[in-house]
Amino acid sequence: MILIPEARNPKGKRDKYWWENLWYYGYYGSFVAFIIASFYDPRETPTQAAKLEAHKRLAERGETFGWPLPPDYALVKSEAK
């Protein structure tokens, strides 16, 4: 049962209102943009930040590490100079 009938053209196809395309592209487009942007978000947890800071301080003092170095150690080493 339809309470409010929709406007239909003679071919039986549903007519769209002027704002419907704006709604679809704006609403769903913003979801797509948010998902794409969230992939490139540099998430740094407090643990990762503390680890990088500890590596940076140890590199400044010239101390050696007793464990394998992380792949981003080169960045810490270049910032310490």
Side-chain angles (χ1 to χ4, degrees), residues 19-76:
W19 52 265
E20 286 188 66
N21 286 334
L22 293 173
W23 170 260
Y24 294 136
Y25 289 115
Y27 188 75
Y28 296 114
S30 63
F31 276 121
V32 170
F34 177 75
I35 289 169
I36 291 171
S38 68
F39 283 123
Y40 295 105
D41 183 26
R43 293 185 196 109
E44 188 173 280
T45 63
T47 305
Q48 290 172 336
K51 185 177 175 183
L52 286 174
E53 182 65 26
H55 280 261
K56 189 187 306 181
R57 289 182 183 183
L58 287 171
E60 286 174 358
R61 289 191 295 207
E63 295 184 25
T64 58
F65 305 103
W67 59 87
L69 300 176
D72 54 356
Y73 174 70
L75 296 173
V76 174

Side-chain angles (χ1 to χ4, degrees), residues 2-27:
I2 298 175
L3 296 177
I4 302 172
E6 293 185 355
R8 298 203 178 254
N9 64 14
K11 294 182 181 177
K13 202 173 173 189
R14 182 180 165 284
D15 289 333
K16 286 187 176 183
Y17 291 101
W18 64 269
W19 52 265
E20 286 188 66
N21 286 334
L22 293 173
W23 170 260
Y24 294 136
Y25 289 115
Y27 188 75

